[in-house]
């Protein structure tokens, strides 16, 4: 059938050409896989451009640094296969070089948000048990002591680790089923979890871009990703760009004006962004000051993109294709994407299944597989569960007859602030730790710029005179800025189900009613 739906298994198969994974028993790290694909292209092609300095790294510069760094990390620093390394850095040209080096050694990469507080980092370390951390001069003070000293990557010492190998490195045998990365996600419930992803997971995702290893579509693509490389979207996109002969323009911190300057200066052809950047691009006149004619594609994902933003974008940038992608940390970023101009015309959808993926739409209450076009039950509860090898996304979706995915709602307890995950349960626990707070609930509140902001409902002690600013500050001191509580309402009680579960949908309704009064 057109949609790829198979009634026998109640699952959807990709409509794209099937991608053949390398045989499982061949040792292959995703680093070797990426470099092998790239090596079929011109060695003088540019892999990275530092947007701040304009410095370019050709493929030969890049591989020289990767090899030198890998050798020194092994021989000088003592990292070895199976070790885990935390990486706490904003985007920089050093990050992709570090990722590929670590992956080639079989060292497990564990990237964390550089805006995390020391207590947040400690929690992550408790899960992933890294032997060392790669940090920057700005993040080093947030790292508790580990068995090895942290390595500061914006330092002259790191530069020298990248520039000369002390000793030749024997090729490390990495099996495809070895862990490549441990990334953090709250999944469908509140607690942060360490997601284990193998080299084969990444090979399957990178290799399922249809032009992998071929020349078609690989010409002269200049990419700029505002999405952070520590998040799955940015992480696997870096690997994909390195593999597919693309040039990656690297910007340390998002700034609209600097991004547009970089598009003009480096003739950027594609952007990968979260929805707030699309909203900002169509708002305000700043885009008019720049020559953006090089731009032919914008990929957006990580959170829902509103219909208004899509229409305004198509109006403002008629030459640029706006393509959506849907994925999760738990799926190695895999899932649904738009990969052609024809697919991108399907506004509001997230595209079609990647060649290496399969999907099932199940009734959230019964778990029974549903055919195309069925809409689920929005009253249902969500639970993360992996049964029969399937991963529960916690999203309310349907797939239409042409195989396009539409995301209607999120059933799981997750707030997406500018595409970043904020777990309500984490904030609720912090709120409840305040001596003046009796009970609390946190919900996503719609916001034009951020998509959603964390909003708290707080029941305070009858004798307490703590105010809104006091509560907000109490939380702000303990969490990364993107998790801050940005809206708050004091209430007498938190609505709960008979089993004690917070009735979030009721609170969301209350919040929206309050705002329209
Ligand atoms: C509505 O956000 C991500 C991954 C994003 C991604 C990956 C590959 C984007 C484009 C791409 O090509 O991962 P997490 O783990 O931070 O969050 C996953 C959740 C999903 O379950 C869903 O609720 O983020 C939400 N989400 C989306 N929602 C992700 N993409 C979309 C989307 N529309 N396009």
């Amino acid at each position: 059938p057109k949609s790829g739906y198979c009634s026998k298994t109640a699952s959807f198969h990709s409509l794209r050409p099937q991608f053949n994974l390398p045989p499982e028993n061949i040792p292959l790290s995703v680093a070797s896989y990426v470099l092998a694909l790239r090596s079929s292209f011109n060695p003088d092609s540019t892999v990275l451009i530092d947007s701040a300095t304009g410095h370019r790294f050709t493929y030969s510069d890049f591989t020289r640094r990767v090899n030198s760094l890998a050798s020194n990390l092994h021989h000088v620093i003592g990292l070895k296969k199976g070790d885990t390394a935390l990486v706490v850095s904003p985007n920089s040209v050093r990050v992709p070089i570090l990722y590929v080096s670590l992956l080639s050694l079989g060292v497990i990469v564990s990237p964390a948000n550089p805006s995390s507080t020391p207590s947040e980092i400690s929690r992550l370390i408790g899960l992933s048990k890294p032997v060392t951390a790669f940090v920057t001069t700005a993040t080093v003070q947030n790292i508790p002591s580990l068995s090895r000293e942290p390595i500061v990557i914006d330092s002259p010492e790191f530069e020298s680790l990248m520039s000369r190998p002390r000793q030749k490195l024997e090729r490390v045998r990495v099996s495809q089923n070895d862990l490549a990365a441990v990334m953090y996600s709250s999944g469908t419930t509140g607690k942060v979890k360490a997601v284990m992803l193998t080299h084969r997971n990444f090979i399957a995702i990178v290799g399922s871009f249809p032009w992998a290893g071929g020349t078609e579509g690989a010409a002269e693509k200049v990419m700029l990703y505002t999405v952070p490389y520590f998040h799955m979207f940015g992480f696997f996109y870096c690997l994909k760009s390195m593999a597919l002969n693309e040039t990656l323009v690297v910007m340390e911190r998002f700034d609209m004006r600097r991004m547009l300057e970089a598009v003009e200066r480096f003739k950027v052809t594609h952007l990968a962004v979260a929805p707030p950047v699309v909203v900002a691009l169509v708002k305000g006149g700043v885009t008019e000051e720049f020559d953006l004619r090089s731009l032919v594609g914008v990929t957006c994902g990580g959170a829902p993109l509103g219909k208004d933003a899509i229409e305004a974008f198509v109006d403002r940038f008629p030459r640029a294709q706006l393509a959506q992608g849907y994925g999760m940390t738990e799926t190695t970023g895999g899932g649904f994407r738009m990969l052609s101009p024809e697919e991108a015309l399907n506004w509001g959808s997230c595209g079609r299944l990647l060649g290496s993926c399969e999907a099932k739409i199940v009734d959230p209450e019964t778990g029974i597989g549903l055919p195309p076009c069925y809409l689920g039950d929005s009253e249902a509860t969500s639970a993360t569960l992996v049964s029969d090898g399937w991963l529960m996304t916690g999203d309310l979706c349907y797939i239409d007859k042409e195989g396009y995915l539409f995301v209607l709602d999120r059933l799981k307890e997750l707030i997406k602030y500018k595409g970043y995950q904020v777990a309500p349960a984490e904030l609720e626990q912090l709120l409840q730790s305040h001596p003046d707070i009796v009970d609390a609930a946190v919900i996503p509140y719609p916001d034009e710029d951020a998509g959603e902001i964390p909003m708290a409902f707080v029941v305070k002690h009858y004798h307490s005179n703590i105010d809104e600013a006091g509560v907000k500050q109490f939380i702000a001191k303990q969490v990364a800025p993107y998790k801050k509580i940005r809206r708050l309402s004091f209430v007498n009680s938190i609505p709960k189900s008979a089993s004690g579960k917070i009735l979030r949908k009721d609170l969301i309704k209350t919040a929206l009613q309050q705002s329209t009064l």
Side-chain angles (χ1 to χ4, degrees):
K2 234 178 176 182
S3 63
Y5 182 72
C6 168
S7 54
K8 215 161 142 198
T9 56
S11 61
F12 290 86
H13 296 266
S14 178
L15 298 169
R16 307 181 191 287
Q18 214 47 52
F19 158 64
N20 292 319
L21 270 163
E24 205 164 342
N25 57 351
I26 297 178
L28 182 65
S29 74
V30 64
S32 308
Y33 178 74
V34 160
L35 294 177
L37 283 182
R38 180 80 183 210
S39 68
S40 62
F41 298 101
N42 176 2
D44 295 327
S45 73
T46 306
V47 180
L48 299 167
I49 301 179
D50 186 335
S51 71
T53 61
H55 187 86
R56 284 166 188 268
F57 298 79
T58 63
Y59 176 68
S60 16
D61 297 336
F62 178 77
T63 46
R64 213 175 314 119
R65 277 182 167 73
V66 164
N67 293 333
S68 164
L69 183 61
S71 166
N72 288 329
L73 289 178
H74 182 64
H75 291 299
V76 181
I77 309 289
L79 291 185
K80 54 183 194 318
K81 190 180 141 183
D83 285 345
T84 299
L86 193 72
V87 179
V88 191
S89 170
N91 289 4
S92 78
V93 285
R94 294 171 290 277
V95 173
I97 295 171
L98 175 63
Y99 284 171
V100 177
S101 302
L102 291 172
L103 292 167
S104 73
L105 285 173
V107 174
I108 302 158
V109 183
S110 188
N113 191 325
S115 72
S116 307
T117 62
S119 66
E120 288 169 335
I121 299 270
S122 298
R123 208 167 320 135
L124 306 182
I125 284 176
L127 294 169
S128 60
K129 313 262 189 309
V131 297
T132 191
F134 290 87
V135 296
T136 63
T137 40
T139 62
V140 65
Q141 78 260 17
N142 293 340
I143 312 296
S145 81
L146 296 168
S147 57
R148 289 171 200 281
E149 286 292 297
I151 298 154
V152 180
I153 69 173
D154 51 349
S155 68
E157 292 76 25
F158 190 77
E159 192 54 48
S160 77
L161 289 177
M162 288 193 295
S163 21
R164 300 179 289 283
R166 203 75 69 77
Q167 219 174 310
K168 199 175 165 332
L169 181 71
E170 295 287 318
R171 200 189 176 105
V172 183
R173 267 176 81 95
V174 177
S175 114
Q176 292 179 52
N177 291 319
D178 286 338
L179 281 187
V182 165
M183 300 177 74
Y184 305 99
S185 162
S186 63
T188 54
T189 58
K191 241 175 54 193
V192 64
K193 291 177 257 305
V195 184
M196 300 193 288
L197 301 154
T198 65
H199 287 268
R200 197 166 163 84
N201 286 147
F202 284 102
I203 291 168
I205 296 304
V206 172
S208 60
F209 280 80
W211 49 88
T215 47
E216 188 209 340
E220 306 295 317
K221 281 193 178 163
V222 183
M223 327 298 274
L224 193 157
Y225 303 150
T226 68
V227 288
Y229 305 161
F230 66 79
H231 181 261
M232 180 54 86
F233 191 178
F235 190 98
F236 91 94
Y237 256 52
C238 273
L239 295 176
K240 170 218 73 135
S241 276
M242 287 182 269
L244 304 185
N245 203 33
E246 298 168 355
T247 298
L248 191 56
V249 177
V250 182
M251 219 175 79
E252 296 224 352
R253 200 171 334 110
F254 175 70
D255 173 274
M256 181 54 87
R257 199 167 269 281
R258 277 208 220 130
M259 180 187 84
L260 297 172
E261 262 165 27
V263 171
E264 181 178 286
R265 177 166 171 210
F266 303 111
K267 304 230 173 341
V268 170
T269 59
H270 293 78
L271 299 174
V273 302
V277 178
V278 175
V279 173
L281 269 173
V282 296
K283 257 212 252 162
V286 61
T287 51
E288 263 116 66
E289 296 170 36
F290 299 91
D291 178 355
L292 306 177
R293 280 173 299 176
S294 59
L295 210 54
V296 294
V298 175
T299 298
C300 179
L305 183 61
K307 192 165 161 279
D308 291 352
I310 298 173
E311 282 171 4
F313 183 91
V314 174
D315 220 40
R316 170 72 189 81
F317 300 97
R319 277 170 30 88
Q321 223 185 82
L322 179 61
Q324 278 209 75
Y326 166 93
M328 294 172 78
T329 308
E330 288 84 346
T331 61
T332 331
F336 291 75
R337 315 191 37 76
M338 292 172 167
L339 288 173
S340 68
E342 181 220 339
E343 289 184 359
L345 288 177
N346 224 292
W347 296 0
S349 110
C350 294
R352 286 164 151 170
L353 263 177
L354 284 178
S356 56
C357 299
E358 267 179 71
K360 237 179 188 181
I361 299 285
V362 300
D363 183 308
E365 275 180 354
T366 63
I368 294 171
L370 303 170
C373 291
Y374 189 94
L375 299 189
D377 178 1
S378 64
E379 294 300 314
T381 54
S382 63
T384 313
L385 61 98
V386 182
S387 63
D388 309 337
W390 289 94
L391 169 86
M392 187 72 96
T393 66
D395 293 310
L396 188 66
C397 312
Y398 70 96
I399 295 173
D400 75 5
K401 291 199 173 72
E402 312 284 320
Y404 290 92
L405 175 80
F406 291 82
V407 180
L408 299 172
D409 198 0
R410 207 179 299 131
L411 297 175
K412 60 185 162 189
E413 295 170 4
L414 181 67
I415 302 166
K416 279 249 148 167
Y417 176 82
K418 299 191 172 172
Y420 291 113
Q421 289 196 6
V422 182
E426 186 185 333
L427 295 175
E428 285 159 5
Q429 273 166 20
L430 287 176
L431 285 166
Q432 280 158 3
S433 75
H434 192 291
D436 284 5
I437 294 177
V438 179
D439 203 0
V442 176
I443 57 153
Y445 186 84
D447 180 82
E448 205 192 342
D449 293 329
E452 291 169 353
I453 53 172
M455 172 177 182
F457 285 86
V458 174
V459 183
K460 62 180 173 185
H461 236 283
Y462 66 95
H463 58 65
S464 163
N465 51 14
I466 190 166
D467 61 1
E468 178 171 339
V471 177
K472 283 182 171 168
Q473 213 181 5
F474 172 74
I475 297 297
K477 276 195 306 218
Q478 304 183 68
V479 298
Y482 69 95
K483 293 186 194 165
K484 279 189 203 170
I485 286 172
R486 289 165 199 273
R487 198 179 164 95
L488 190 146
S489 176
F490 286 107
V491 288
N492 294 327
S493 66
I494 302 291
K496 300 213 174 112
S497 71
S499 61
K501 254 182 103 78
I502 296 170
L503 296 171
R504 287 170 208 284
K505 294 277 174 201
D506 289 2
L507 283 171
I508 294 171
K509 232 183 267 164
T510 309
L512 292 173
Q513 274 161 5
Q514 276 177 0
S515 73
T516 54
L517 288 181

